[in-house]
Amino acid sequence: MWRGQGSNPHPYTGEGKETLDDRQMNGCFTCENEGNKAIYQETATQNSNAKLEKDIEIEGDK
Protein backbone atom coordinates (compact mmCIF):
# COMPACT_ATOMS: atom_id res chain seq x y z
CA MET A 1 0.00 0.00 0.00
CA TRP A 2 1.48 3.36 -1.05
CA ARG A 3 1.93 5.56 2.02
CA GLY A 4 4.21 8.18 0.52
CA GLN A 5 3.42 11.71 -0.51
CA GLY A 6 1.96 12.36 -3.93
CA SER A 7 0.43 9.82 -6.24
CA ASN A 8 1.27 6.11 -6.18
CA PRO A 9 4.27 5.57 -8.51
CA HIS A 10 3.47 1.87 -9.04
CA PRO A 11 -0.34 1.44 -8.97
CA TYR A 12 -1.66 -2.10 -8.98
CA THR A 13 -2.44 -3.27 -12.52
CA GLY A 14 -3.60 -6.84 -11.90
CA GLU A 15 -6.96 -8.56 -11.81
CA GLY A 16 -9.55 -6.74 -9.71
CA LYS A 17 -7.69 -3.42 -9.79
CA GLU A 18 -10.92 -1.48 -10.21
CA THR A 19 -12.14 -2.67 -6.80
CA LEU A 20 -8.97 -1.72 -4.92
CA ASP A 21 -7.89 1.52 -3.34
CA ASP A 22 -5.72 3.59 -5.71
CA ARG A 23 -2.89 3.36 -3.16
CA GLN A 24 -2.54 -0.40 -3.76
CA MET A 25 0.79 -1.13 -5.41
CA ASN A 26 2.09 -3.86 -7.68
CA GLY A 27 4.11 -6.41 -5.77
CA CYS A 28 7.88 -6.13 -5.40
CA PHE A 29 10.18 -8.91 -6.68
CA THR A 30 9.69 -10.91 -3.47
CA CYS A 31 5.91 -10.61 -3.66
CA GLU A 32 5.88 -11.34 -7.39
CA ASN A 33 7.71 -14.63 -6.80
CA GLU A 34 5.30 -17.40 -7.84
CA GLY A 35 5.57 -18.98 -4.38
CA ASN A 36 4.52 -15.73 -2.69
CA LYS A 37 1.97 -14.30 -5.16
CA ALA A 38 -1.14 -15.86 -3.63
CA ILE A 39 -0.16 -14.72 -0.13
CA TYR A 40 0.56 -11.19 -1.33
CA GLN A 41 -2.71 -10.97 -3.28
CA GLU A 42 -4.78 -12.23 -0.37
CA THR A 43 -3.10 -9.83 2.06
CA ALA A 44 -3.33 -6.87 -0.31
CA THR A 45 -7.01 -7.50 -1.00
CA GLN A 46 -7.89 -7.97 2.66
CA ASN A 47 -6.05 -4.79 3.68
CA SER A 48 -7.58 -2.75 0.89
CA ASN A 49 -11.11 -3.98 1.61
CA ALA A 50 -10.66 -3.28 5.31
CA LYS A 51 -9.50 0.23 4.53
CA LEU A 52 -12.42 0.86 2.20
CA GLU A 53 -14.90 -0.44 4.80
CA LYS A 54 -13.29 1.73 7.47
CA ASP A 55 -13.47 4.81 5.20
CA ILE A 56 -17.14 4.15 4.46
CA GLU A 57 -17.90 3.77 8.16
CA ILE A 58 -16.10 7.02 9.01
CA GLU A 59 -17.78 8.93 6.18
CA GLY A 60 -21.16 7.57 7.29
CA ASP A 61 -20.60 8.96 10.80
CA LYS A 62 -20.11 12.50 9.52
Side-chain angles (χ1 to χ4, degrees):
M1 192 65 92
W2 174 247
R3 291 175 178 28
Q5 294 183 351
S7 62
N8 178 355
H10 305 286
Y12 181 71
T13 56
E15 182 179 338
K17 67 181 177 183
E18 38 304 303
T19 63
L20 298 175
D21 188 289
D22 63 356
R23 294 174 296 153
Q24 182 61 49
M25 301 178 78
N26 279 323
C28 64
F29 292 121
T30 300
C31 297
E32 284 294 317
N33 176 288
E34 287 302 318
N36 298 331
K37 254 184 176 177
I39 295 168
Y40 174 80
Q41 183 61 38
E42 180 179 339
T43 302
T45 302
Q46 287 175 350
N47 288 341
S48 179
N49 289 339
K51 173 67 175 150
L52 291 174
E53 290 170 10
K54 181 179 176 188
D55 286 347
I56 291 167
E57 182 179 312
I58 290 170
E59 289 174 7
D61 292 340
K62 292 181 182 177

Coordinates of all heavy atoms in Angstrom, one line a residue:
M1 N 0.8 -1.2 0.0 CA 0.0 0.0 0.0 C 0.9 1.2 0.0 O 1.8 1.3 0.8 CB -0.9 -0.1 1.2 CG -2.0 0.9 1.3 SD -3.2 0.6 0.0 CE -4.4 -0.4 0.8
W2 N 0.7 2.1 -0.9 CA 1.5 3.4 -1.0 C 1.1 4.3 0.1 O 0.0 4.6 0.3 CB 1.2 4.0 -2.4 CG 1.9 5.4 -2.5 CD1 1.3 6.6 -2.6 CD2 3.3 5.6 -2.6 NE1 2.2 7.6 -2.8 CE2 3.5 7.0 -2.8 CE3 4.4 4.8 -2.6 CZ2 4.7 7.6 -2.9 CZ3 5.7 5.4 -2.7 CH2 5.8 6.8 -2.8
R3 N 2.1 4.7 0.9 CA 1.9 5.6 2.0 C 2.8 6.8 1.9 O 2.8 7.6 2.8 CB 2.2 4.8 3.3 CG 1.2 3.7 3.6 CD 1.6 3.0 4.9 NE 0.8 1.9 5.4 CZ 0.0 1.1 4.8 NH1 -0.3 1.2 3.6 NH2 -0.7 0.2 5.5
G4 N 3.4 7.0 0.7 CA 4.2 8.2 0.5 C 3.4 9.4 0.1 O 2.2 9.4 0.0
Q5 N 4.1 10.5 -0.1 CA 3.4 11.7 -0.5 C 3.2 11.7 -2.0 O 4.0 11.1 -2.7 CB 4.2 12.9 -0.1 CG 4.3 13.1 1.4 CD 5.1 14.3 1.8 OE1 5.7 15.0 1.0 NE2 5.0 14.7 3.1
G6 N 2.2 12.3 -2.5 CA 2.0 12.4 -3.9 C 1.3 11.1 -4.4 O 0.9 10.3 -3.6
S7 N 1.1 11.0 -5.7 CA 0.4 9.8 -6.2 C 1.3 8.6 -6.2 O 2.5 8.6 -6.2 CB 0.0 10.1 -7.7 OG 1.1 10.3 -8.5
N8 N 0.6 7.4 -6.2 CA 1.3 6.1 -6.2 C 2.1 5.9 -7.5 O 1.6 5.9 -8.5 CB 0.2 5.1 -6.1 CG 0.7 3.6 -6.1 OD1 1.8 3.4 -6.2 ND2 -0.3 2.7 -5.9
P9 N 3.4 5.7 -7.3 CA 4.3 5.6 -8.5 C 4.2 4.2 -9.2 O 4.6 4.0 -10.3 CB 5.7 5.8 -8.0 CG 5.6 5.3 -6.6 CD 4.2 5.7 -6.1
H10 N 3.6 3.2 -8.5 CA 3.5 1.9 -9.0 C 2.1 1.3 -8.7 O 1.9 0.3 -8.0 CB 4.5 1.0 -8.4 CG 5.9 1.5 -8.6 ND1 6.6 1.4 -9.8 CD2 6.8 2.0 -7.7 CE1 7.8 2.0 -9.6 NE2 7.9 2.4 -8.4
P11 N 1.0 1.9 -9.3 CA -0.3 1.4 -9.0 C -0.6 0.0 -9.4 O 0.0 -0.4 -10.4 CB -1.2 2.4 -9.7 CG -0.4 3.0 -10.8 CD 1.0 3.0 -10.3
Y12 N -1.3 -0.7 -8.7 CA -1.7 -2.1 -9.0 C -2.4 -2.2 -10.3 O -3.3 -1.4 -10.6 CB -2.6 -2.7 -7.9 CG -2.9 -4.1 -8.1 CD1 -1.9 -5.1 -8.0 CD2 -4.2 -4.5 -8.4 CE1 -2.3 -6.5 -8.2 CE2 -4.5 -5.8 -8.6 CZ -3.6 -6.8 -8.5 OH -3.9 -8.1 -8.7
T13 N -1.9 -3.1 -11.2 CA -2.4 -3.3 -12.5 C -3.1 -4.6 -12.8 O -3.5 -4.9 -13.9 CB -1.3 -3.0 -13.6 OG1 -0.2 -3.9 -13.3 CG2 -0.8 -1.6 -13.5
G14 N -3.1 -5.5 -11.7 CA -3.6 -6.8 -11.9 C -5.1 -7.0 -11.9 O -5.8 -6.0 -11.8
E15 N -5.5 -8.2 -11.8 CA -7.0 -8.6 -11.8 C -7.6 -7.9 -10.6 O -7.1 -7.9 -9.5 CB -7.1 -10.1 -11.7 CG -8.5 -10.6 -11.8 CD -8.6 -12.1 -11.7 OE1 -7.6 -12.7 -12.1 OE2 -9.6 -12.6 -11.3
G16 N -8.8 -7.3 -10.8 CA -9.6 -6.7 -9.7 C -9.1 -5.3 -9.3 O -9.6 -4.8 -8.3
K17 N -8.2 -4.7 -10.1 CA -7.7 -3.4 -9.8 C -8.8 -2.4 -9.6 O -8.6 -1.5 -8.8 CB -6.7 -3.0 -10.8 CG -7.3 -2.7 -12.2 CD -6.2 -2.2 -13.2 CE -6.9 -2.0 -14.6 NZ -5.9 -1.7 -15.5
E18 N -9.9 -2.5 -10.3 CA -10.9 -1.5 -10.2 C -11.6 -1.5 -8.9 O -12.3 -0.5 -8.5 CB -11.9 -1.5 -11.4 CG -12.4 -2.8 -12.0 CD -11.4 -3.8 -12.5 OE1 -10.5 -3.5 -13.4 OE2 -11.5 -4.9 -12.1
T19 N -11.5 -2.6 -8.1 CA -12.1 -2.7 -6.8 C -11.2 -2.3 -5.7 O -11.7 -2.2 -4.5 CB -12.7 -4.1 -6.6 OG1 -11.6 -5.0 -6.5 CG2 -13.7 -4.5 -7.6
L20 N -9.9 -2.0 -6.0 CA -9.0 -1.7 -4.9 C -8.7 -0.2 -4.8 O -8.9 0.5 -5.7 CB -7.6 -2.4 -5.2 CG -7.7 -3.9 -5.3 CD1 -6.4 -4.5 -5.7 CD2 -8.1 -4.5 -4.0
D21 N -8.3 0.1 -3.6 CA -7.9 1.5 -3.3 C -6.8 1.9 -4.3 O -5.9 1.1 -4.6 CB -7.4 1.6 -1.9 CG -7.1 3.0 -1.4 OD1 -6.1 3.6 -1.9 OD2 -7.9 3.4 -0.5
D22 N -6.7 3.2 -4.7 CA -5.7 3.6 -5.7 C -4.3 3.6 -5.1 O -3.3 3.8 -5.8 CB -6.1 4.9 -6.4 CG -6.2 6.1 -5.4 OD1 -6.0 5.9 -4.2 OD2 -6.4 7.2 -5.9
R23 N -4.2 3.4 -3.8 CA -2.9 3.4 -3.2 C -2.3 2.0 -3.2 O -1.1 1.8 -2.9 CB -3.0 3.8 -1.7 CG -3.3 5.3 -1.6 CD -3.6 5.8 -0.2 NE -4.7 5.0 0.3 CZ -4.9 4.7 1.6 NH1 -4.1 5.1 2.5 NH2 -6.0 4.1 2.0
Q24 N -3.1 1.0 -3.7 CA -2.5 -0.4 -3.8 C -1.5 -0.4 -4.8 O -1.6 0.1 -5.9 CB -3.7 -1.4 -4.1 CG -3.2 -2.8 -4.2 CD -2.6 -3.3 -2.9 OE1 -3.2 -3.1 -1.8 NE2 -1.5 -3.9 -2.9
M25 N -0.4 -1.1 -4.5 CA 0.8 -1.1 -5.4 C 1.0 -2.5 -6.0 O 0.5 -3.5 -5.4 CB 2.1 -0.7 -4.7 CG 2.0 0.6 -4.0 SD 3.5 1.0 -3.1 CE 4.6 1.4 -4.4
N26 N 1.6 -2.6 -7.1 CA 2.1 -3.9 -7.7 C 3.1 -4.4 -6.7 O 3.8 -3.7 -6.0 CB 2.7 -3.7 -9.1 CG 1.7 -3.6 -10.2 OD1 0.7 -4.2 -10.1 ND2 2.0 -2.8 -11.1
G27 N 3.2 -5.8 -6.7 CA 4.1 -6.4 -5.8 C 5.6 -6.2 -6.2 O 5.9 -6.0 -7.3
C28 N 6.4 -6.2 -5.1 CA 7.9 -6.1 -5.4 C 8.4 -7.5 -5.9 O 7.6 -8.4 -6.1 CB 8.6 -5.8 -4.1 SG 8.5 -7.0 -2.8
F29 N 9.7 -7.6 -6.2 CA 10.2 -8.9 -6.7 C 9.9 -10.1 -5.7 O 9.6 -11.2 -6.2 CB 11.7 -8.8 -7.0 CG 12.0 -7.9 -8.1 CD1 12.8 -6.8 -7.9 CD2 11.4 -8.1 -9.4 CE1 13.1 -5.9 -9.0 CE2 11.7 -7.2 -10.4 CZ 12.5 -6.2 -10.2
T30 N 10.0 -9.8 -4.4 CA 9.7 -10.9 -3.5 C 8.2 -11.3 -3.5 O 7.9 -12.5 -3.6 CB 10.0 -10.4 -2.0 OG1 11.4 -10.1 -2.0 CG2 9.7 -11.5 -1.0
C31 N 7.3 -10.3 -3.6 CA 5.9 -10.6 -3.7 C 5.5 -11.2 -5.0 O 4.5 -11.9 -5.1 CB 5.1 -9.4 -3.4 SG 5.4 -8.7 -1.7
E32 N 6.2 -10.8 -6.1 CA 5.9 -11.3 -7.4 C 6.4 -12.8 -7.6 O 6.0 -13.4 -8.6 CB 6.5 -10.4 -8.5 CG 5.7 -9.1 -8.6 CD 4.3 -9.4 -9.2 OE1 4.1 -10.2 -10.1 OE2 3.3 -8.8 -8.6
N33 N 7.2 -13.3 -6.7 CA 7.7 -14.6 -6.8 C 6.5 -15.6 -6.8 O 5.6 -15.4 -6.0 CB 8.6 -14.9 -5.6 CG 9.1 -16.3 -5.6 OD1 8.3 -17.2 -5.3 ND2 10.4 -16.5 -5.9
E34 N 6.5 -16.5 -7.7 CA 5.3 -17.4 -7.8 C 4.9 -18.1 -6.5 O 3.7 -18.3 -6.3 CB 5.6 -18.5 -8.9 CG 5.5 -17.9 -10.3 CD 4.2 -17.3 -10.7 OE1 3.1 -17.8 -10.3 OE2 4.2 -16.2 -11.3
G35 N 5.9 -18.4 -5.7 CA 5.6 -19.0 -4.4 C 4.9 -18.0 -3.4 O 4.3 -18.5 -2.4
N36 N 5.0 -16.7 -3.6 CA 4.5 -15.7 -2.7 C 3.3 -15.0 -3.2 O 2.6 -14.3 -2.5 CB 5.6 -14.7 -2.4 CG 6.8 -15.3 -1.7 OD1 6.7 -16.3 -1.0 ND2 8.0 -14.7 -1.9
K37 N 3.0 -15.1 -4.5 CA 2.0 -14.3 -5.2 C 0.6 -14.4 -4.5 O -0.1 -13.4 -4.3 CB 1.8 -14.7 -6.6 CG 2.4 -13.7 -7.6 CD 2.1 -14.1 -9.0 CE 2.6 -13.0 -9.9 NZ 2.5 -13.3 -11.3
A38 N 0.2 -15.6 -4.2 CA -1.1 -15.9 -3.6 C -1.2 -15.2 -2.2 O -2.2 -14.6 -1.9 CB -1.5 -17.3 -3.5
I39 N -0.2 -15.3 -1.5 CA -0.2 -14.7 -0.1 C -0.2 -13.2 -0.2 O -1.0 -12.5 0.5 CB 1.1 -15.1 0.6 CG1 1.1 -16.6 0.9 CG2 1.2 -14.4 1.9 CD1 2.4 -17.2 1.4
Y40 N 0.6 -12.6 -1.1 CA 0.6 -11.2 -1.3 C -0.8 -10.7 -1.8 O -1.4 -9.8 -1.2 CB 1.6 -10.8 -2.4 CG 1.5 -9.3 -2.7 CD1 2.1 -8.4 -1.8 CD2 0.8 -8.8 -3.8 CE1 2.0 -7.0 -2.1 CE2 0.7 -7.5 -4.1 CZ 1.3 -6.6 -3.2 OH 1.2 -5.2 -3.5
Q41 N -1.4 -11.4 -2.8 CA -2.7 -11.0 -3.3 C -3.8 -11.0 -2.2 O -4.6 -10.1 -2.1 CB -3.1 -11.8 -4.5 CG -4.4 -11.4 -5.1 CD -4.4 -10.0 -5.7 OE1 -3.4 -9.6 -6.2 NE2 -5.4 -9.3 -5.5
E42 N -3.8 -12.1 -1.4 CA -4.8 -12.2 -0.4 C -4.6 -11.1 0.7 O -5.6 -10.5 1.1 CB -4.6 -13.6 0.3 CG -5.6 -13.8 1.4 CD -5.5 -15.2 2.1 OE1 -4.9 -16.1 1.4 OE2 -5.9 -15.3 3.2
T43 N -3.4 -10.9 1.1 CA -3.1 -9.8 2.1 C -3.5 -8.5 1.5 O -4.1 -7.7 2.2 CB -1.6 -9.9 2.5 OG1 -1.3 -11.2 3.0 CG2 -1.3 -8.8 3.5
A44 N -3.1 -8.2 0.3 CA -3.3 -6.9 -0.3 C -4.8 -6.6 -0.4 O -5.3 -5.5 -0.1 CB -2.7 -6.8 -1.7
T45 N -5.6 -7.6 -0.8 CA -7.0 -7.5 -1.0 C -7.7 -7.3 0.3 O -8.5 -6.5 0.5 CB -7.6 -8.7 -1.7 OG1 -6.9 -8.8 -3.0 CG2 -9.1 -8.6 -1.9
Q46 N -7.3 -8.1 1.3 CA -7.9 -8.0 2.7 C -7.6 -6.6 3.2 O -8.5 -6.0 3.8 CB -7.3 -9.0 3.6 CG -7.9 -10.4 3.3 CD -7.2 -11.5 4.2 OE1 -6.2 -11.2 4.9 NE2 -7.7 -12.7 4.1
N47 N -6.4 -6.1 3.1 CA -6.1 -4.8 3.7 C -6.8 -3.7 3.0 O -7.3 -2.7 3.6 CB -4.5 -4.6 3.6 CG -3.8 -5.4 4.6 OD1 -4.4 -5.9 5.6 ND2 -2.5 -5.6 4.4
S48 N -6.9 -3.8 1.7 CA -7.6 -2.7 0.9 C -9.1 -2.7 1.2 O -9.7 -1.7 1.4 CB -7.4 -3.0 -0.6 OG -8.1 -2.0 -1.3
N49 N -9.7 -3.9 1.3 CA -11.1 -4.0 1.6 C -11.4 -3.5 3.0 O -12.4 -2.8 3.2 CB -11.6 -5.4 1.5 CG -11.7 -5.8 0.0 OD1 -11.7 -5.0 -0.9 ND2 -11.7 -7.1 -0.2
A50 N -10.5 -3.8 4.0 CA -10.7 -3.3 5.3 C -10.6 -1.8 5.3 O -11.4 -1.1 6.0 CB -9.6 -3.9 6.2
K51 N -9.7 -1.2 4.6 CA -9.5 0.2 4.5 C -10.7 0.9 3.9 O -11.2 1.9 4.4 CB -8.3 0.6 3.7 CG -8.1 2.1 3.4 CD -7.8 2.8 4.7 CE -7.5 4.3 4.3 NZ -7.9 5.2 5.4
L52 N -11.2 0.3 2.8 CA -12.4 0.9 2.2 C -13.6 0.8 3.1 O -14.4 1.7 3.3 CB -12.7 0.1 0.9 CG -11.7 0.4 -0.2 CD1 -12.1 -0.5 -1.4 CD2 -11.7 1.8 -0.6
E53 N -13.8 -0.3 3.9 CA -14.9 -0.4 4.8 C -14.8 0.6 5.9 O -15.7 1.2 6.3 CB -15.0 -1.9 5.4 CG -15.4 -2.9 4.3 CD -15.3 -4.3 4.8 OE1 -15.0 -4.5 6.0 OE2 -15.4 -5.2 4.0
K54 N -13.5 0.8 6.4 CA -13.3 1.7 7.5 C -13.6 3.1 7.0 O -14.3 3.9 7.7 CB -11.8 1.7 7.9 CG -11.5 2.6 9.0 CD -10.0 2.5 9.4 CE -9.7 3.5 10.5 NZ -8.3 3.5 10.8
D55 N -13.2 3.5 5.8 CA -13.5 4.8 5.2 C -15.0 5.0 5.1 O -15.5 6.1 5.4 CB -12.8 5.0 3.8 CG -11.3 5.2 3.9 OD1 -10.8 5.4 5.0 OD2 -10.7 5.0 2.9
I56 N -15.7 4.0 4.6 CA -17.1 4.1 4.5 C -17.8 4.4 5.8 O -18.7 5.2 6.0 CB -17.7 2.9 3.8 CG1 -17.3 2.9 2.3 CG2 -19.2 2.9 3.8 CD1 -17.5 1.5 1.6
E57 N -17.3 3.6 6.8 CA -17.9 3.8 8.2 C -17.7 5.2 8.7 O -18.5 5.8 9.2 CB -17.3 2.7 9.1 CG -17.8 2.7 10.5 CD -17.2 1.7 11.3 OE1 -17.1 0.5 10.9 OE2 -16.8 2.0 12.5
I58 N -16.4 5.7 8.5 CA -16.1 7.0 9.0 C -16.9 8.1 8.3 O -17.5 9.0 8.9 CB -14.6 7.3 8.8 CG1 -13.8 6.4 9.8 CG2 -14.3 8.8 9.1 CD1 -12.3 6.4 9.6
E59 N -17.0 8.0 7.0 CA -17.8 8.9 6.2 C -19.3 8.9 6.6 O -19.9 9.9 6.6 CB -17.6 8.7 4.7 CG -16.2 9.0 4.2 CD -16.0 8.6 2.7 OE1 -17.0 8.2 2.1 OE2 -14.9 8.7 2.3
G60 N -19.8 7.7 6.9 CA -21.2 7.6 7.3 C -21.5 8.2 8.6 O -22.6 8.6 8.9
D61 N -20.4 8.3 9.5 CA -20.6 9.0 10.8 C -20.6 10.5 10.7 O -21.0 11.1 11.7 CB -19.5 8.5 11.7 CG -19.6 7.0 12.1 OD1 -20.7 6.5 11.9 OD2 -18.6 6.5 12.5
K62 N -20.2 11.0 9.6 CA -20.1 12.5 9.5 C -21.5 13.1 9.4 O -22.4 12.6 8.9 CB -19.2 12.9 8.3 CG -17.8 12.5 8.6 CD -16.9 13.0 7.4 CE -15.5 12.5 7.6 NZ -14.6 12.8 6.5

